[in-house]
Structure formats: structure tokens, C-alpha cells
Amino acid sequence: MPAPLRVVLWNANGLSNHKLELQAFLDMHKIDIALISKTHFTSRSVFKIPHYTIYHTIHPDDTAHGGAAIILRSSLRHYELLHHQSEAIQAATVRLDIRPWPLMISAIYCPPHHVISTDDYITFFRSLGSRFLIGGDWNAKHTAWGARLITPKGRNLLAAISNYKCHYFSTGGPTYWPTDPNKLPDLLDFLVTRGLPATDIQVVPVFELSSDHSPIIASFGASLTNKAVTPTLATIHTNWDMFRVYIDKHINLRLRIKECAELDEVIQYFTTLIQAAAWYSTPLPRTRTKPADNTPLYICELIAEKRRSRGRWQRSRNQGDRLIYNRLRRKLQTALRIVNNVTFAHYLTSLSPNDNTLWKATKRLKRPQVLIPPLRNADGSWAKSDDKQAKTFAVHLQQVFMPHHFLNPTDAAIPTFLDVPCQMSLPIKPFSPKEVVEATAHTNVRKAPGHDLISGKVLKELPKKAITLLTILCNSMLRLSYYPLLWKFAQIIMVPKPGKPINDVTSCRPISLLPIPSKIFEKLLLKRLSSDVDLSALLPDYQFGFRAGHSTIHQMHRIVHEIAKSLEGKPLCTAVFLDVTQAFDKVWHTGLLYKIKTTVPSPYYLLLKSYLHTRFFQVKYNGSYSTCHEVLSGVPQGSVLGPLLYLIFTVDLPTTDHTTIATFADDTRLLAVHSDPIIASQHLQLHLDILQAWFDTWKIIINQAKSVHVTFTTTHAICPQVTMNNAPIPMQTDVKYLGLHLDQQLTWSTHIKTKRLHLHLKLRSMYWLLGHKSKLSLANKLLLYKCLLKPVWTYGIQLWGCAKPSHTQIIQRLQSKILRSITGAPWYVSNFTLHNDLHIAFVAKETS
């Protein structure tokens, strides 16, 4: 017999004020789903409850009234559907996976001053399908479900329920208890269902939550489906000695690898062996259970006492009973606030950088969890389920990983060159087991594994025999010039971009997860390639991306030096900052192979050719997987060799004598200096025309709309506008490049003000840790400031530190404010004392 699904209906009349009380209520009654009406949420509201996921819809005018929310247990398998948002009906809806058929659950709120027709109700019911449960404050009265009288809205709702073959469930008693003694209690909150057996649902009233509406708990039997647990090979309970013994016992080192197909088979054998050993030595995880009720006993007694006093007041409507009820309600809220503060203070005092608990607490501030609502497909339809959303993402990425389709004169010449046999060359020197062990030792154990689930920790625990087999596999790849298919398969997860439309498929960034053993081989191959080929001499001096000893600050120093020199000498400096459309994803494989063949020895070319050929990806979203698709362009994201391959692809970017070029990976910047603004623009335009021809040859597209043209000068002269592919490049007075904001006169005022705003927003998100009321130790507060906040404004200080004091004082005032908040120092403690006692340097000293 499955455990009953417990659903509570409640009109909160402002949910944020009842968070602690609702949290205790959900724990005590083991509530699975809460349907909340009248949340008063807006688009800026943030509301979280541990172990629960919250979906809400707001009033169309985005003000704090109306609205509905669904709060359901996070372990339940579900996904969000489109919400209904109008003046008359506000409803939040999710699909809950229940065997044998899914169930649509909706929380609804209907404001009282809007008349809803029968057709409007039926239209809303049809949007939920044939099996649903709707609960909330309908503001519709009819004696059929226990109200005192019949209103037009109630008459229309009953007609819609009958016509659409639905059922209603109510307690039969009042759920609305007006505070005005001249008004009478009535029944406004109830359930409407379709496709559920009427005999299975039990509805009971409760009187524990503080509002002018009393909640209702509905229970019915359901075979729930929990979210799939993310599979792992190893946990903290893995017995690594048993793991190594299992591999030593079952491994076979006498395997024939003479052909590419045999190499694929041995790779599969190696992967299966490690997986079997890890699962054999790892105990099974415990079955998920509902969180235990940790509500203190005296809180439970207060709740019971408040419930009894509310019942007395509702029966008697006596003003004295109401005063007693209000006193107990305030007492309960105060007690809950105290318990929450004590629990939170204990949590803060337990945070420490030594066991990583401090960094886990701040990690969600850097990457907050963002839920992806239904996505809109290209044909205008909606992808609602996890399976359909994974498919939608995969179809989008399939178009992304395709080269730009336009013809150029070299399309026939380059493939002809690739068909010419390679020149004779010495084979790549084989790898030794010692090299494999060293590469494995430097693997980050926190990196997410690929589809094979083999993590860095698992590879570090391999016995000598397994290391020997891995070495044999790597050397076989060198000998056969073949990259195995299993190591070219990428599993992609989608991460929402902040500030982008949530229903647009392009608003998510793909993160590619490759097998860790594949990355081990790439590290070894890159090390061998670096010893056989002088990469420093191969790459141009103006390229600073993905190169040892070359940072963004070094590249910015080159740019700022040129600009400052022109400002001092009075000539005009005009610059263009180009935006390459999907630079890494649209790399033309045929063109890249042409560059590789003309750059590196033949054995490396043949191996890299196999490395790029027949790569596949699959999108994973909330435990659902898309079908596999082939990657036809781009360098492998998340790979070790990908950055080097992109640098080789752009190694012959054309230059001119009258301009300065600076590139950091795909960020490209051109600069021309001349006393005559027309000549400066002509030099810039000439270089842009040459670059356009080069871009056309190698199938690269520049986004003119996102590119920027800036003239750096202390005068009022402006260089004429330049074009790219016959489209004008927008002119601006400042530009952001490599994290620094450059204004026309290089005063750094825009950069400092932007960093001040960024720092202020980050401080607000961390105030619960750094505020004067936080129980976090002073040492940990300073550590967080030095590691998370200070790097925000110190980045590039070598360049902007020369700004005038009136600008740098903006950062200094904010730093003093942060230190005063951290320590809780009173007003009479000077800033000098704060900085001196905390051993924090003033901004002026940092810039000197």
C-alpha cells in the first residue's frame, strides 16, 4: 500500500511573513505539497524552504498582492508547466510523476472582484489535461460545497465542474474567518479534481497557521516517483583496498590490440572493469526518507495551544478570545524566530575553511540554483517535460555544432591538400607508466566525470596493473593514430545564463563533460607535443590566451600602454573590439586540419584527425537524456587540447604595419594611432577589410552589432566610423575588454563605479555571513572578504591604480564600510584603527 500523498491548501495573505511557521507546519504534518494562495510575491521576491522546491506566479501588475505558489518536496519527480497569469486567475502548475499516469497539480487564487464565466473556467481546466488536482482560494460561493450562499462566480464554477466532469472536495465548514465582526465566516478554499477516484481523497481542516483563512489537508493514495539519484561509482564509504584487489584479480593484460576496432573493445573492457570494481567495493546507498520532524516539544505545545484558542474564538466570536488567540500567535512567532536564530547561529559557528563547509556555504552565492521553466521550440510549441526539454536543447546544439555554410574559393583547394599523403616522420615517443601516474596524480578529483562515471578519485586509486593497461591503451592510440569512440562521447548539461529570457533555448550555456581517462591521454599528448614542437615560436606574439606566462593583465597592459602613449602625445587612438560569433563552437574542422597538417609533424596530425572525426554528444537534463548527435564543428569543449587547437586555427590572423592587434583567445582588438582622425580610421578600415577576407576564407562570422568602435582622445575630435562586411560598427564612449572598462580619456571612472556596484551587490548577497549579526568567527569573515570580495576590486589594479584619488576613494569608502560591518565596530572607532587592527591595507597603499 503506497504512502498517502499529503497536500495542504492555504490562503497565506502574504507568505513571506509566515515562513518559519509554515516550515514547522510542513515538518510536523509530513506535507508533500503545499498549494498557497495570495502569496503577495513579486518578480523580486525570494522564498526558500529546506528540502522543498517552490514555483510561483504573480499578479500581472507585479505588485505585492494576489499570486499563487506550489511548494513541493524536492525529492518528488516533477517539472514545471506554464503558469496561468491574469487579473481574474493566477495559478502555478507542475506535473507530478505518479504511477500509472502523471498528475497535474495547480495552486490557484481568484481575486474576489472579478467575475469568471463558465467558459473561462473550462478553458483553464482544459489547459491541465484529463487528470489534475487544483486547490486554493476560489472566492466562489455555492451551497453545493458548503458555502452559506450562492454567488454568480460560484454558479459558473459549479457549471464548469459539472460540464467538464470534475469533482470538488471541501471540509463543509468555513475556511475564511474575517476579523471584522460584522462579517460571517464562509467556505472559499477547496479542491477541484478530475481523473482521481473520489473515494480515495480525504479532506480535513486544521487551525494551526496564522491567517484569516484556515488550511485544509487533503490525503489520497498515490504511487509517487522520486527523482533519480545521480549515479556515482564511488562514495566516501568506498573500500579502496577491496577496489584494488578486485581489479588485480579480474584484470587481463594479454589483450590483442592490432586494429582500431580492437582498441575500442579494450577501452570498453577497461571501463567496464573499473565500474564493476567500484560498485563491488561501494555499499548501496540508503533509501531516501522524508526528513525527520525536528520541531522542539515546547513549539509543538505552543502550536496546540494556539490551535485551541483559535477554535474557541471562531466558535464564540468573543473579543476576549480573539485577544488571547492573537497573544498566543505572537508568542509562537517569537518562539519560532528564536529557534531559527539559534539554529542559524550554530550553523554559522560550525563553518570552517578546513573541512570546506565555509566554501560550500558560499558556493551557492556564486552559482545560484536556477530552475528552467518550459522552453519554447522553434515552431512555437512548448517543451514541458524533462525528456522534451533535453530533446529541445539537443536540437539547438546540433545546429550550433555545425560550421557556417557559405562558399569561398578555398573550399576545393583545402580538401585536395588534405588528401595528399603525409610526409614521413618519426613516430611519437611512447608513454611510460610513470608519466601516466604523474598525469593521474594531477587530476582534479572535484571535476565531474563523463558518461562512464570514472572520476579523478577513482583513477588515483588504480593499482599498478590497471595503470599498466591504461599505458598500453595510450600507446596503442599513438601507434594506430586512432582516438577511440568511447572517449569522444560528451555528455552536456545546460546552465542558465543570468539575466537572459528563461524560456529561450539560447539562454542556457552548455557544459560538456568528457571522460576523465580521455583527459589523461590529452595531457600526455600535449606534453609530448610541447617537447617535439616549439609552440611559443609557433603562436604569434599578440596572442595571450591559453598560454603559460600570459595573462589578461599582460594583454591589457599592452593596450593601455598604447592608449596612454597616444593621449600623452596628443594623436588620436581609434580601436575596434570585434565579437566573434560562437568562436569555439563554429571552428571549421576541414580548415583546422589544414592548419594542423601544415604546423605539426604527421603522427600528431593523423591522431588529431581521428580526435576531431565522429565526435558525439548527448544532453542530460534532470535525469533525462536526449538522443545522440554528431559534432560537425568546433573544438571539444572541456577538453585539454581544445584551447591549443583554437590557437592553431587562428595562428595566421593577418596583421598590418599601421595597426596594433591584440587577441586573447577569441577576443580580438585592433588599434590605430594617428594625428589625423581620417587617416587613423583608414588604417583601421584597411585592416578590417583584410580580416574580413580572412574570416570568409576560414568560415568565421563577426557580429557587428556586438562589436564596438571607440576613439581614445582628450580632445573633441572623433574618428570616422568604420565598417565590417559593409555594416557599420557601433561607436561608443567606453568599452569592456578582459574585465576592465576603458573610457575615452582613460580616467577609469567607469571601471571603478562599475566595480563598486558589483561589490555592493555581492556584499548584499553575503550579508548573512559578513554582517555584524552573523555568528561567523572574525577570522572566517576576513577570509571570505579576502578571497571573495577583495579580488573583485583588486583585479587590474596595476592599471587602474593610477586613477585620481577622488575615484579610488569610492572603493576605499566601500572597503571601510565592509570592515565596519564585519567587526560590528561603533561609529567612534576610526577607519585607520579598523585597517590597522585587521591588517588590511588601504586602497591607496594597494595602488602604490
Side-chain angles (χ1 to χ4, degrees), residues 603-624:
Y604 291 101
Y605 162 72
L606 295 174
L607 184 56
L608 292 175
K609 181 180 180 181
S610 175
Y611 174 79
L612 293 172
H613 185 59
T614 60
R615 300 190 72 93
F616 293 89
F617 75 91
Q618 180 186 50
V619 176
K620 175 186 177 184
Y621 180 71
N622 284 348
S624 298

Side-chain angles (χ1 to χ4, degrees), residues 226-238:
N226 289 334
K227 286 184 178 179
V229 179
T230 303
T232 56
L233 288 186
T235 64
I236 57 175
H237 305 291
T238 301

Side-chain angles (χ1 to χ4, degrees), residues 682-754:
Q682 287 177 350
H683 290 163
L684 202 59
Q685 185 64 60
L686 176 62
H687 198 171
L688 288 173
D689 293 340
I690 297 174
L691 282 176
Q692 184 60 58
W694 185 88
F695 291 144
D696 291 341
T697 301
W698 303 107
K699 300 184 184 298
I700 297 175
I701 292 181
I702 299 298
N703 189 341
Q704 290 91 345
K706 292 185 178 180
S707 301
V708 177
H709 179 202
V710 182
T711 299
F712 298 96
T713 179
T714 55
T715 66
H716 295 289
I718 299 295
C719 294
Q721 193 171 29
V722 295
T723 62
M724 191 77 179
N725 199 19
N726 297 322
I729 297 178
M731 300 185 69
Q732 295 184 9
T733 57
D734 61 80
V735 64
K736 181 181 179 181
Y737 184 67
L738 300 181
L740 294 175
H741 295 262
L742 304 175
D743 56 87
Q744 279 188 314
Q745 298 182 355
L746 208 63
T747 61
W748 300 105
S749 60
T750 304
H751 175 77
I752 292 175
K753 290 177 183 178
T754 303

Side-chain angles (χ1 to χ4, degrees), residues 390-391 394 617-619 625-629:
K391 179 182 178 181
F617 75 91
Q618 180 186 50
V619 176
Y625 298 87
S626 71
T627 55
C628 298
H629 299 274

Side-chain angles (χ1 to χ4, degrees), residues 406-510:
F406 54 86
L407 299 177
N408 56 68
T410 61
D411 280 355
I414 292 178
T416 303
F417 174 78
L418 295 179
D419 292 337
V420 176
C422 298
Q423 295 182 353
M424 296 294 294
S425 181
L426 292 175
I428 304 174
K429 181 182 176 181
F431 305 120
S432 65
K434 182 179 179 181
E435 290 178 295
V436 175
V437 170
E438 291 177 354
T440 305
H442 290 87
T443 301
N444 188 352
V445 297
R446 298 186 182 276
K447 289 289 185 180
H451 65 92
D452 58 1
L453 304 179
I454 299 177
S455 63
K457 175 62 176 177
V458 173
L459 290 177
K460 287 186 177 184
E461 298 292 340
L462 290 178
K464 291 183 179 180
K465 287 185 178 181
I467 292 294
T468 302
L469 181 56
L470 181 58
T471 307
I472 294 173
L473 293 174
C474 293
N475 289 331
S476 298
M477 294 166 62
L478 299 181
R479 176 167 45 83
L480 297 173
S481 296
Y482 176 75
Y483 211 90
L485 288 173
L486 202 62
W487 285 0
K488 292 192 288 187
F489 184 83
Q491 194 173 85
I492 294 180
I493 59 176
M494 307 301 293
V495 178
K497 300 177 184 177
K500 298 293 183 178
I502 55 178
N503 297 114
D504 193 351
V505 70
T506 61
S507 300
C508 291
R509 181 179 292 107

Side-chain angles (χ1 to χ4, degrees), residues 793 797-798 800-803 808 841-848:
W793 64 266
I797 198 172
Q798 307 93 322
W800 66 261
C802 61
T808 56
F842 283 90
V843 175
K845 190 173 182 180
E846 295 277 3
T847 59
S848 61

